[in-house]
Amino acid sequence: MADLEKYRNCIRQLLRAYAQHASSNNEIEAQTIFDVEQDHYQLIYIGWQNRRRVFGPVMHFDIKNGKIWIQWNGTEDDVGEQLVAMGIPKNDIVVGFHPPYIRQYTDYAVS
């Protein structure tokens, strides 16, 4: 049985770390959005850079059926491996942005 509170804390810790790292740019605000009732978690960037609007998700995680779904990762970092380093088993992580027929070839859960 998955430890949901541990999973929630790991996701929030990961997103806060990325948000803090992104806060070095004064024109772009990094916001963490935690919907703990529905288990949806996001990091988004909002602001301006070189007169262009910046707005969009950087990372999105859900917890569904006891597993962490990586719905979006806009970084080049392997956040799945970071979750594993935090003690989450690979079979409780789903790379949701890969189609189901690709997931079977990863080390992570299919669904």
Side-chain angles (χ1 to χ4, degrees):
M1 184 70 182
D3 184 348
L4 292 179
E5 199 55 43
K6 175 183 176 181
Y7 290 6
R8 291 174 180 131
N9 287 333
C10 288
I11 292 170
R12 288 186 291 225
Q13 180 182 345
L14 185 71
L15 293 178
R16 284 183 181 125
Y18 274 91
Q20 193 169 35
H21 188 64
S23 295
S24 60
N25 182 336
N26 291 334
E27 295 184 27
I28 299 174
E29 180 181 354
Q31 291 185 359
T32 53
I33 301 170
F34 302 147
D35 175 358
V36 292
E37 291 181 11
Q38 303 297 318
D39 278 325
H40 304 298
Y41 306 88
Q42 282 193 344
L43 169 64
I44 64 169
Y45 288 166
I46 299 173
W48 294 90
Q49 186 172 33
N50 300 327
R51 296 182 165 194
R52 295 189 65 183
R53 180 73 171 155
V54 174
F55 180 86
V58 180
M59 289 184 202
H60 179 126
F61 298 92
D62 292 330
I63 299 176
K64 299 191 301 188
N65 300 321
K67 295 183 180 180
I68 295 176
W69 284 68
I70 304 170
Q71 301 288 18
W72 179 250
N73 177 14
T75 74
E76 295 180 356
D77 299 337
D78 187 344
V79 293
E81 284 300 320
Q82 293 179 39
L83 290 170
V84 170
M86 298 168 105
I88 310 247
K90 283 188 173 186
N91 61 352
D92 280 353
I93 298 171
V94 178
V95 183
F97 59 84
H98 286 321
Y101 65 89
I102 296 289
R103 290 182 208 147
Q104 64 183 317
Y105 301 110
T106 70
D107 291 336
Y108 299 102
V110 173
S111 62

